[in-house]
Amino acid sequence: MATSSILTSVKITGPKKIESFIKALDASADDSKRDPSAPVSCQMTNIDEIRRLMSKRVR
């Protein structure tokens, strides 16, 4: 998501529109869990594997 869309000023007029906006914010906060789009691989803890991976990036 672009930062400009997050920082956009919003002008809400009318009590019903304000109430529905607040309900939408509450609903999005309650449904904050998301499934990753790609499977998460295991963490690397072996220092030699990490060095080998990082050396590939330098080339």
Side-chain angles (χ1 to χ4, degrees):
M1 178 181 277
T3 307
S4 61
S5 63
I6 296 170
L7 301 176
T8 301
S9 297
V10 178
K11 183 177 180 181
I12 303 172
T13 56
K16 287 187 179 183
K17 289 183 180 182
I18 293 170
E19 187 176 338
S20 67
F21 181 71
I22 291 172
K23 284 182 181 179
L25 287 177
D26 287 339
S28 68
D30 291 341
D31 191 26
S32 62
K33 295 179 184 177
R34 70 171 189 87
D35 295 327
S37 58
V40 179
S41 62
C42 61
Q43 290 182 327
M44 278 191 194
T45 55
N46 185 333
I47 191 72
D48 292 327
E49 288 180 19
I50 296 171
R51 285 184 179 145
R52 194 174 324 118
L53 177 68
M54 296 305 288
S55 70
K56 290 180 182 179
R57 295 183 72 190
V58 174
R59 294 180 188 169

